């Protein structure tokens, strides 16, 4: 039997709190064009309802709190996870999925959050920066397809521009100021052309 070859390798990315068993951020993915009545098709969402998702998450937390590893096979799915502060980060893939690929995703998530949040990866900080975390997950994985696993690239695409470093008080935005800027540009260009 040949395995189903598909780009849809991630079924879910979960950020859960093991202390109070609450969800911080959960994303379940399904392919946009899944044939009807096919639960085994790559990219199909195995947990379509919130009730099923919460039951899966509860069992997953119980199973991973006891074990000290980074990868388990749970409910017929490969699950890789990392504990960071008081947050468990999970990446769920199909039963036949490459564990190293999924582990790369969870490491990219952990490292990009460390860059974005300045190594303050705890539940409170994650909730306060929910927008950044959601964008980082979207940069890493889109509809179950892994896009980027370099945390520096993910953080650079997601990070906010520095607001306090820009000093606009001394800039002249009038018509004369723009004309002065244009003249300065012309003289600098003429100097560069004469040097060549």
């Amino acid at each position: 039997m040949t395995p189903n070859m598909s780009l849809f390798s991630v079924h879910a990315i979960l950020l859960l709190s093991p202390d109070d068993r609450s969800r911080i951020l959960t994303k379940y993915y399904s392919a946009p064009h899944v044939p009807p009545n096919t639960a085994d098709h790559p990219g199909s969402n195995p947990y379509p309802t919130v009730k099923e998702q919460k039951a899966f998450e509860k069992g997953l937390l119980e199973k991973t709190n006891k074990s000290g590893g980074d990868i388990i096979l749970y409910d017929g799915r490969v699950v890789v996870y990392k504990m960071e502060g008081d947050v468990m980060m999970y990446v769920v893939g199909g039963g036949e999925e490459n564990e190293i690929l999924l582990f790369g995703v969870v490491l990219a998530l952990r490292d990009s959050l460390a860059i974005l949040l300045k190594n303050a990866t705890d539940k409170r900080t994650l909730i306060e920066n929910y927008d950044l975390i959601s964008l980082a997950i979207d940069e890493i994985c889109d509809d179950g397809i892994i896009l980027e696993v370099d945390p520096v690239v993910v953080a650079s695409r997601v990070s906010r521009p520095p607001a306090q470093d820009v000093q606009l008080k001394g800039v002249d935005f009038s018509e004369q100021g723009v004309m002065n800027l244009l003249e300065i540009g012309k003289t600098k260009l003429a100097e560069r052309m004469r040097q060549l």
Side-chain angles (χ1 to χ4, degrees):
M1 181 174 107
T2 60
N4 291 328
M5 299 300 287
S6 175
L7 290 174
F8 301 102
S9 47
V10 177
H11 289 192
I13 295 178
L14 313 170
L15 299 177
L16 304 174
S17 173
D19 297 335
D20 57 356
R21 302 194 181 284
S22 64
R23 296 171 132 190
I24 298 171
L25 186 142
T26 60
K27 287 199 175 207
Y28 288 84
Y29 300 107
S30 61
H33 304 291
V34 176
N37 300 326
T38 54
D40 296 348
H41 189 274
S44 63
N45 187 353
Y47 309 104
T49 65
V50 175
K51 184 178 178 181
E52 291 173 346
Q53 291 172 3
K54 287 189 176 183
F56 173 73
E57 293 162 12
K58 180 182 176 190
L60 193 59
L61 275 170
E62 289 172 1
K63 181 96 170 182
T64 55
N65 269 344
K66 299 173 188 171
S67 65
D70 293 330
I71 181 170
I72 61 169
L73 186 63
Y74 180 73
D75 197 23
R77 315 234 172 266
V78 175
V79 179
V80 294
Y81 59 97
K82 277 286 187 195
M83 179 76 164
E84 191 70 25
D86 59 349
V87 176
M88 287 287 268
M89 300 178 195
Y90 297 95
V91 176
V92 182
E96 308 257 334
E97 196 55 59
N98 185 345
E99 301 89 14
I100 297 171
L101 182 71
L102 296 176
F103 196 69
V105 173
V106 80
L107 289 179
L109 177 63
R110 182 196 66 182
D111 294 343
S112 60
L113 292 182
I115 292 169
L116 289 169
L117 304 176
K118 298 177 178 63
N119 290 325
T121 311
D122 57 7
K123 182 180 176 182
R124 181 176 178 209
T125 309
L126 291 178
I127 291 171
E128 289 173 354
N129 296 292
Y130 190 87
D131 56 343
L132 286 177
I133 290 129
S134 183
L135 286 172
I137 290 174
D138 287 343
E139 286 293 328
I140 293 170
C141 184
D142 183 33
D143 282 338
I145 300 172
I146 299 169
L147 299 176
E148 184 66 59
V149 291
D150 185 3
V152 176
V153 173
V154 171
S156 69
R157 289 181 183 165
V158 170
S159 62
R160 297 179 181 132
Q164 67 251 33
D165 294 343
V166 179
Q167 299 293 329
L168 297 177
K169 292 180 181 174
V171 177
D172 185 14
F173 286 114
S174 66
E175 187 174 337
Q176 183 62 38
V178 173
M179 294 303 287
N180 290 341
L181 184 62
L182 184 62
E183 287 300 318
I184 292 171
K186 282 181 185 178
T187 58
K188 293 288 184 184
L189 181 63
E191 288 175 12
R192 288 295 251 170
M193 295 298 282
R194 278 185 246 142
Q195 289 177 356
L196 296 174

